[in-house]
Amino acid sequence: MYPLRRNRRLRTTEAMRSLVRENSISPNDFIVPIFIVEGKSIKEEIASMPNYYRYSLDMLKAEIKELWSLGLKSVLLFVKVPENLKDNAGKEALNPEGLMQRAIKTVKDVCPEMIVMTDVALDPYSKYGHDGIIQNGEIVNDPTNVFLAKMGLSHAQAGADIVAPSDMMDGRILAMRSLLEEEGYYNTGIMSYSAKYASAFYGPFRDALDSAPVDLQNIPKDKKSYQMDPANREEAIKETLMDIDEGADIVMVKPGLCYLDIVRDIREVVDVPVAVYQVSGEYAMLKAAAEKGWLNHDAVMMEQILSIKRAGATMIASYFAKDVVKLLS
Ligand code: PBG
């Protein structure tokens, strides 16, 4: 008698499907990226990221309250730095009264329980748009680490719960962890962008922060000397294990959808939470296709988020977080 197993039995009704479902999405899964600008009463849409905005600090307050009311409990802050404050060494990034430092305090003021994560990186502060300090045309590793550790400390001092270095210098986690410990910030977490690829999917983000590498002679035109080669898989494991050894509490794979094999590989070898960053280009692609009526926005969005979960993500940084959670409720 054939078939002995009829797999469709468990797919007959939604109740049945939900009974056997292996993965699900909840507000607990998300980190919400937020873009912040100087000024007052600003909520400006990012051209290449429809329905995503940059907020001035006064406008940020309402947004934070709304996120919390939706059950979204962690944010990842990025700042757009005025051109006149950019240099090669990130001096403004260490300003205790800088935009990031004020943003951290603003979030904690309106919502003390909100988990505040911060982007620790030079590029928004760099006049060259790079994540490292440039000397003689080279992105120098160790001097950049000294800077990054100080930047992480500055965010911790302003009240950040978790600092998130997104640069891909070697040894920056150890530098940051050591300084945080020395200064008594032993409870500040580090979420390391461990396997961050040199991806073309970051385009809209660089529009949002005006942080693209500049086109100048003797300056590298791309980030391939520090971000990972998309061709590599084994190397992602090496990078991630090294960051854990150096003291990372959470590791990250970035981008998301094209790199779900990496997410699974890493999930299987590490014993710390794995974050996945579904990046700006992934967001922009779906928005554009949906605008043309070529894809069902909500259905594709849910499928993508679920796929990232299924691949092994403990948490997902996504520009869709709010849309997803609204749809869930
Ligand atoms: C830079 C940084 C980038 C992103 C997060 N942090 C861009 C880059 O590396 O050039 C990209 C995020 C996104 O595309 O959504 N430190």
Side-chain angles (χ1 to χ4, degrees), residues 298-309:
D298 290 352
V300 171
M301 169 180 79
M302 293 309 239
E303 188 175 331
Q304 292 185 340
I305 296 291
L306 190 62
S307 300
I308 296 171
K309 242 340 244 308

Side-chain angles (χ1 to χ4, degrees), residues 118-298:
T118 57
D119 186 54
V120 180
L122 179 58
D123 57 334
Y125 296 90
S126 161
K127 63 180 176 184
Y128 301 124
H130 273 290
D131 295 61
I133 296 166
I134 301 189
Q135 286 169 7
N136 303 322
E138 187 194 337
I139 315 281
V140 289
N141 195 88
D142 300 8
T144 300
N145 285 345
V146 174
F147 159 76
L148 289 169
K150 288 184 192 160
M151 185 173 179
L153 175 65
S154 171
H155 294 180
Q157 286 167 336
D161 299 292
I162 295 181
V163 293
S166 64
D167 54 284
M168 291 297 282
M169 297 301 124
D170 292 321
R172 90 276 208 217
I173 303 300
L174 182 61
M176 203 170 292
R177 173 52 71 209
S178 307
L179 187 60
L180 288 170
E181 287 286 332
E182 264 167 44
E183 297 292 326
Y185 290 89
Y186 44 83
N187 277 332
T188 305
I190 299 180
M191 176 168 76
S192 171
Y193 289 61
S194 306
K196 175 170 177 178
Y197 286 86
S199 170
F201 283 97
Y202 306 149
F205 173 97
R206 294 175 188 171
D207 295 342
L209 294 189
D210 184 24
S211 63
V214 296
D215 195 1
L216 276 181
Q217 232 190 337
N218 299 325
I219 303 293
K221 305 278 176 285
D222 57 48
K223 299 188 174 184
K224 292 178 184 171
S225 78
Y226 44 105
Q227 297 179 350
M228 280 181 60
D229 183 342
N232 293 356
R233 184 170 172 186
E234 305 295 330
E235 191 188 4
I237 296 175
K238 178 178 73 175
E239 283 282 0
T240 304
L241 293 178
M242 189 168 144
D243 285 357
I244 296 170
D245 280 348
E246 292 182 23
D249 301 282
I250 300 171
V251 294
M252 185 194 279
V253 177
K254 177 182 176 190
L257 285 177
C258 290
Y259 297 84
L260 295 187
D261 55 330
I262 310 298
V263 176
R264 174 48 55 182
D265 283 347
I266 286 173
R267 174 70 284 159
E268 279 171 7
V269 297
V270 306
D271 55 5
V272 300
V274 178
V276 173
Y277 202 138
Q278 184 189 39
V279 302
S280 58
E282 303 181 61
Y283 178 84
M285 266 197 313
L286 175 51
K287 290 289 171 191
E291 227 166 72
K292 283 191 168 272
W294 291 350
L295 284 176
N296 176 333
H297 179 273
D298 290 352

